[in-house]
Amino acid sequence: MSAIGELAGVGPKSAVLFRELGIATARDLLDYLPFRYDDLRFPTPSSRLGSTGGAEENAVGVVEHVKERRARGLEIVELRLRDDDGSFVAKWIGRNRYVVGRFRAGMRLFVRGRVERSLAGPVVNVAHYAQLGEDETYHGEMVPIYRASKDLTTRKIAAVVEKNLPTLLALAGEDPLPSSVRERKGYPTLRDAYRAVHAPRTPEEAQRARERFVFGEFLGLATAAQLRRAERERAHDARALVVPPTLLDELQAALPYPLTGAQRRVIEEIWRDMTRAVPMNRLLQGDVGSGKTLVAAAAVLLCARNGVQSALMTPTEILAAQHASKLAPLLMPFGIAVEAVFGSQSARSRASALDRLASGEAAVAVGTHALLTEGVEFARLSLAIIDEQHRFGVEQRARLRAKGGAPHTLHMTATPIPRTLAQSVYADLDLSVIDELPPGRTPIETFAVRTSRLPRVYEFVRENVALGHQVYVVAPAIDEDSDLTSVVAEAERLKNEVLPDLRIGLLHGRLNAREKDDVMGRFARGEIDVLLATTVVEVGVDVPNASVMVILDAQRYGLAQLHQLRGRVGRGAAKSFCVLVYPDDKGETERLNILTDSTDGFRIAEEDLRIRGAGEFAGTAQSGAAELWIADLVRDIDVYREAKAEAERIVAADPELRAPEHAGLREMLARAPSTRALVLSS
Ligand code: ADP
Ligand code: MG
């Protein structure tokens, strides 16, 4: 593959700059698509020049007046040009532009440049110009705009692409779109599409070509997911469990409250999956407090009734402990004991837990990634439950499953992801959503306030502590090395100045696991009134007596993350509050009002997605969805649906992609980085 430096117009210096943008080869440059175009096909009439706000524009006019001077090596040339609409100024300023003496009244000129509005009318700061003949009509072009760096401008990139276009197009390779699909969709061929995105003649042509690439990328994604699903379905190697007809009633009878309708529905979905020999691969989504633990308990119960084991893996020890203590009372009525496996456990208790798991005596293990270590063996592991799955890598999830034959897998997350997005990001997962909270919760009251009101906020904190409640204060930074609030510094300030009579705790990511557990433990036992923390408190911890959540520098967080943080309170009987604090000079109110107006995690997630786009969406950023090449799961969701339908047809007809027509697709799957977006579903 030829290196970028071998292309015409790329010297050793610019080759380095290209590489800094991730463009190492000619092929990389071919795939480096413009993200928009300046439509410079037609000159802008002088009356409308400068109305686009800083973009380059074209104008054509006849020179009326020439003003030239030189000052300290600078050439300054100002022309007044007239067109049918009125007149404008074309201005050159700089060294070595060699324009002095070139222009005379009566010449017809084309100029291009950024336009400023002045009292004397629009002024074009000329970057390009050309003299036109008397009757020559101007033919401009669509100018591609590439993502550039400070030292490598989009203009330079465009120039290199233009100069080498035939060479680049020859690298296009085999078309990943089966020709029948391409024809049915009316898409251009691969080469034409590359030509049309880099050097379009019309915006429509560029748009169509872009859509073709989006479709192609999605087709790869959806086909990879479909293949994986087909493989799972074929394997047929999971244990098919039997659901006793009275099991749900038994479960209900053991509970102090009625199951919500949503819990009932998802338990049935999960149980139904587990009666099949095809390994379940299901994602359970439910907002904080929606009662996912109970659903997990139901899956464990079904396994225990069938004489097989389950494992629940969580990202932190605190969470493992909390899960274990919540599962235990739910499972006790059925005679199921919970074994805990975590890093800081004593050797003795670890050894006895491992014995009982290996012998099959224990039905369920709850633990951290300590579950993945070598000594941990299961007699008959048939269910792997993975909590907050986005916190684990593909490999860790695979290792847990490898502890069993082909166990059923249940992923759980409290990060609500809009269904449309979830179905594509997690293309190989079936989805169960708990979209209903248990009755009787008082919604958390949320306020957005400016930093200047902080003294009042801390008064409010004091009042709540006086009522016997506890408070979280979350800030984004650990140290004081930016203009963001530091938890360390704020903890000091509260301790010494603002709330000296209260018990202040501090929790952040640089503490080791034992220190974190210690602080969390003291907070949970009510020995700390106000806990200053970074977002490490985000995940699942449950302190029902905490009734106020203060988030400093709320502008730093996405809506979904703020919602997650807010979910740390409102877990007890007391009415709870969330206070979002943002700098006085930031116009954040509109965004934060989404949170003050709604406690529906899915609605908030939709809004977050709309504002930020899929690439940055919380939880999917790590998933690889951000690595999509050109497609965007939010903007292009309709194209995704079409591609997915096509992928289903392709895999149904040719499950191993052996047909010659599918060779290009197979090759793309082998190399396309976007198939990495599938990591979540494996
Ligand atoms: P999640 O893990 O989804 O955040 P939990 O499973 O911890 O939620 O449940 C939150 C709280 O709701 C727990 O105290 C639990 O006992 C309670 N709960 C769960 N299901 C119900 C229900 N159907 N009715 C009333 N309370 C419930
Ligand atoms: Mg939970």
Side-chain angles (χ1 to χ4, degrees), residues 257-260 263 287-293 326 438 441 571:
Y257 42 70
L259 291 161
T260 63
Q263 282 171 324
D287 213 339
V288 279
S290 60
K292 292 184 292 296
T293 313
K326 281 201 229 163
R441 300 266 166 90
R571 306 188 143 228

Side-chain angles (χ1 to χ4, degrees), residues 25 58 60 64 78 133 155 238-239 250 274 345 433 451 637 672:
T25 65
N58 286 351
V60 170
E64 272 192 342
E78 281 181 18
R155 188 193 299 270
R239 205 180 301 256
E250 284 179 57
M274 293 169 71
Q345 189 170 28
V433 180
T451 307
I637 191 71

Side-chain angles (χ1 to χ4, degrees), residues 269-395:
E269 284 167 0
I270 289 165
W271 281 358
R272 197 178 318 124
D273 276 5
M274 293 169 71
T275 61
R276 300 177 65 208
V278 172
M280 168 169 77
N281 197 27
R282 189 170 278 279
L283 175 67
L284 173 62
Q285 272 197 53
D287 213 339
V288 279
S290 60
K292 292 184 292 296
T293 313
L294 177 52
V295 174
V300 170
L301 172 61
L302 179 64
C303 284
R305 275 301 165 90
N306 281 263
V308 295
Q309 295 168 294
S310 321
L312 190 163
M313 182 166 72
T314 71
T316 66
E317 287 202 1
I318 302 174
L319 277 176
Q322 235 163 43
H323 268 296
S325 69
K326 281 201 229 163
L327 279 175
L330 293 169
L331 294 169
M332 199 159 55
F334 303 94
I336 303 168
V338 175
E339 294 294 341
V341 178
F342 50 92
S344 66
Q345 189 170 28
S346 76
R348 165 94 83 61
S349 86
R350 164 82 74 104
S352 76
L354 297 195
D355 273 350
R356 284 193 295 271
L357 292 170
S359 69
E361 189 190 331
V364 53
V366 175
T368 56
H369 46 268
L371 282 171
L372 304 175
T373 50
E374 246 170 51
V376 184
E377 277 168 30
F378 293 85
R380 294 174 297 273
L381 180 65
S382 291
L383 172 65
I385 305 176
I386 298 165
D387 189 33
E388 296 302 338
Q389 36 69 293
H390 62 274
R391 302 226 162 196
F392 292 101
V394 204
E395 202 229 348

Side-chain angles (χ1 to χ4, degrees), residues 51-361:
S51 50
T52 57
E56 288 202 345
E57 291 176 72
N58 286 351
V60 170
V62 176
V63 179
E64 272 192 342
H65 178 72
V66 180
K67 201 164 96 189
E68 301 178 327
R69 65 200 162 93
R70 280 180 209 272
R72 280 181 259 115
L74 288 180
E75 295 174 49
I76 301 165
V77 174
E78 281 181 18
L79 310 180
R80 176 151 297 274
L81 292 141
R82 176 161 296 281
D83 68 1
D84 295 342
D85 246 34
S87 75
F88 62 95
V89 172
K91 183 170 169 184
W92 286 255
I93 180 163
R95 282 166 218 281
N96 305 328
R97 301 213 46 185
Y98 310 111
V99 283
V100 169
R102 291 215 170 179
F103 306 112
R104 269 172 295 288
M107 272 184 175
R108 263 186 97 227
L109 289 184
F110 150 76
V111 293
R112 170 190 301 175
R114 266 189 238 291
V115 181
E116 287 162 26
R117 301 261 218 170
S118 78
L119 285 176
V123 177
V124 181
N125 292 291
V126 181
H128 282 305
Y129 74 96
Q131 190 177 346
L132 300 176
E134 189 110 358
D135 312 312
E136 196 177 338
T137 38
Y138 166 72
H139 289 290
E141 76 245 61
M142 298 277 296
V143 178
I145 307 297
Y146 295 89
R147 194 170 55 78
S149 61
K150 199 155 80 28
D151 300 313
L152 188 62
T153 60
T154 173
R155 188 193 299 270
K156 169 73 180 173
I157 298 169
V160 171
V161 170
E162 192 183 339
K163 207 174 270 179
N164 296 279
L165 197 56
T167 316
L168 294 175
L169 291 180
L171 299 172
E174 186 145 21
D175 194 341
L177 289 193
S179 54
S180 60
V181 175
R182 186 175 61 70
E183 279 156 26
R184 189 144 26 87
K185 298 273 174 208
Y187 287 142
T189 63
L190 186 60
R191 241 181 217 244
D192 279 350
Y194 273 116
R195 203 273 306 144
V197 282
H198 285 295
R201 287 179 282 254
T202 64
E204 294 74 29
E205 188 186 62
Q207 177 50 33
R208 194 74 190 138
R210 183 185 171 279
E211 186 186 314
R212 196 214 110 104
F213 287 118
V214 170
F215 181 88
E217 179 163 38
F218 280 151
L219 186 69
L221 203 63
T223 305
Q226 204 56 38
L227 287 172
R228 206 176 296 202
R229 179 182 288 267
E231 197 181 316
R232 195 157 50 83
E233 303 258 335
R234 267 200 310 274
H236 237 261
D237 49 359
R239 205 180 301 256
L241 307 181
V242 176
V243 181
T246 58
L247 195 58
L248 197 57
D249 294 340
E250 284 179 57
L251 178 62
Q252 177 63 82
L255 294 171
Y257 42 70
L259 291 161
T260 63
Q263 282 171 324
R264 235 168 224 282
R265 176 172 42 77
V266 303
I267 288 172
E268 281 174 344
E269 284 167 0
I270 289 165
W271 281 358
R272 197 178 318 124
D273 276 5
M274 293 169 71
T275 61
R276 300 177 65 208
V278 172
M280 168 169 77
N281 197 27
R282 189 170 278 279
L283 175 67
L284 173 62
Q285 272 197 53
D287 213 339
V288 279
S290 60
K292 292 184 292 296
T293 313
L294 177 52
V295 174
V300 170
L301 172 61
L302 179 64
C303 284
R305 275 301 165 90
N306 281 263
V308 295
Q309 295 168 294
S310 321
L312 190 163
M313 182 166 72
T314 71
T316 66
E317 287 202 1
I318 302 174
L319 277 176
Q322 235 163 43
H323 268 296
S325 69
K326 281 201 229 163
L327 279 175
L330 293 169
L331 294 169
M332 199 159 55
F334 303 94
I336 303 168
V338 175
E339 294 294 341
V341 178
F342 50 92
S344 66
Q345 189 170 28
S346 76
R348 165 94 83 61
S349 86
R350 164 82 74 104
S352 76
L354 297 195
D355 273 350
R356 284 193 295 271
L357 292 170
S359 69
E361 189 190 331

